[in-house]
Amino acid sequence: MERLQLTDLATLLRDAAGDGGSVPLDEAALDTLFLNLGYDSLALLQVTGVIERDLEVTLDEEALDEAQTPRQYLDLVNAALAARATA
């Protein structure tokens, strides 16, 4: 996988935490805080574990702590995937 898409992230979050809040995880929610979407840090931790295992990439823990929105999280994951591809 070259890039993690928003639909991929939405599926992973639903699998990890259920449907989340009342706000759907779509393009309109890219800059909405995960907490406002109904996803807590435990759900993100589970998703991060799946991503690291399945995509064979290591994500920066400090940067993950600062990724508070789907856009920030996707940017972080996709930067790690791009760095791995060029290594």
Side-chain angles (χ1 to χ4, degrees):
M1 175 180 286
E2 291 181 33
R3 293 186 56 80
L4 184 70
Q5 302 296 325
L6 180 59
T7 54
D8 301 322
L9 179 58
T11 299
L12 290 169
L13 283 166
R14 275 193 303 275
D15 289 348
D19 288 331
S22 60
V23 179
L25 189 53
D26 57 17
E27 293 290 325
L30 273 172
D31 296 312
T32 303
L33 296 174
F34 281 115
L35 286 177
N36 293 343
L37 294 169
Y39 297 107
D40 61 12
S41 59
L42 181 57
L44 289 172
L45 184 62
Q46 288 176 309
V47 167
T48 298
V50 169
I51 289 170
E52 288 184 329
R53 181 191 70 225
D54 292 354
L55 301 181
E56 298 177 356
V57 65
T58 301
L59 302 174
D60 182 301
E61 287 185 36
E62 286 183 33
L64 283 169
D65 288 340
E66 295 184 22
Q68 301 293 314
T69 67
R71 183 186 310 276
Q72 292 170 337
Y73 191 88
L74 286 169
D75 288 347
L76 175 69
V77 171
N78 288 326
L81 289 172
R84 183 192 68 189
T86 61

mmCIF file of all heavy atoms in Angstrom, residues 1 38 73 78:
data_model
loop_
_atom_site.group_PDB
_atom_site.id
_atom_site.type_symbol
_atom_site.label_atom_id
_atom_site.label_comp_id
_atom_site.label_asym_id
_atom_site.label_seq_id
_atom_site.Cartn_x
_atom_site.Cartn_y
_atom_site.Cartn_z
ATOM 1 N N MET A 1 0.847 -1.182 0.000
ATOM 2 C CA MET A 1 0.000 0.000 0.000
ATOM 3 C C MET A 1 0.886 1.237 0.000
ATOM 4 O O MET A 1 1.762 1.375 0.830
ATOM 5 C CB MET A 1 -0.905 -0.018 1.232
ATOM 6 C CG MET A 1 -1.742 1.232 1.380
ATOM 7 S SD MET A 1 -2.804 1.228 2.832
ATOM 8 C CE MET A 1 -4.044 0.076 2.326
ATOM 9 N N GLY A 38 -15.893 10.945 18.141
ATOM 10 C CA GLY A 38 -16.255 9.804 18.972
ATOM 11 C C GLY A 38 -15.167 8.763 19.111
ATOM 12 O O GLY A 38 -15.425 7.646 19.567
ATOM 13 N N TYR A 73 -3.419 12.659 11.079
ATOM 14 C CA TYR A 73 -3.054 11.248 11.213
ATOM 15 C C TYR A 73 -2.690 10.656 9.856
ATOM 16 O O TYR A 73 -1.664 9.979 9.726
ATOM 17 C CB TYR A 73 -4.215 10.479 11.857
ATOM 18 C CG TYR A 73 -3.832 9.086 12.283
ATOM 19 C CD1 TYR A 73 -3.296 8.847 13.538
ATOM 20 C CD2 TYR A 73 -3.997 8.011 11.420
ATOM 21 C CE1 TYR A 73 -2.940 7.569 13.930
ATOM 22 C CE2 TYR A 73 -3.646 6.725 11.801
ATOM 23 C CZ TYR A 73 -3.116 6.510 13.057
ATOM 24 O OH TYR A 73 -2.744 5.245 13.438
ATOM 25 N N ASN A 78 1.096 8.531 5.954
ATOM 26 C CA ASN A 78 1.519 8.556 4.549
ATOM 27 C C ASN A 78 2.956 9.062 4.392
ATOM 28 O O ASN A 78 3.668 8.619 3.491
ATOM 29 C CB ASN A 78 0.521 9.343 3.709
ATOM 30 C CG ASN A 78 -0.764 8.575 3.542
ATOM 31 O OD1 ASN A 78 -0.758 7.349 3.456
ATOM 32 N ND2 ASN A 78 -1.884 9.271 3.507
#
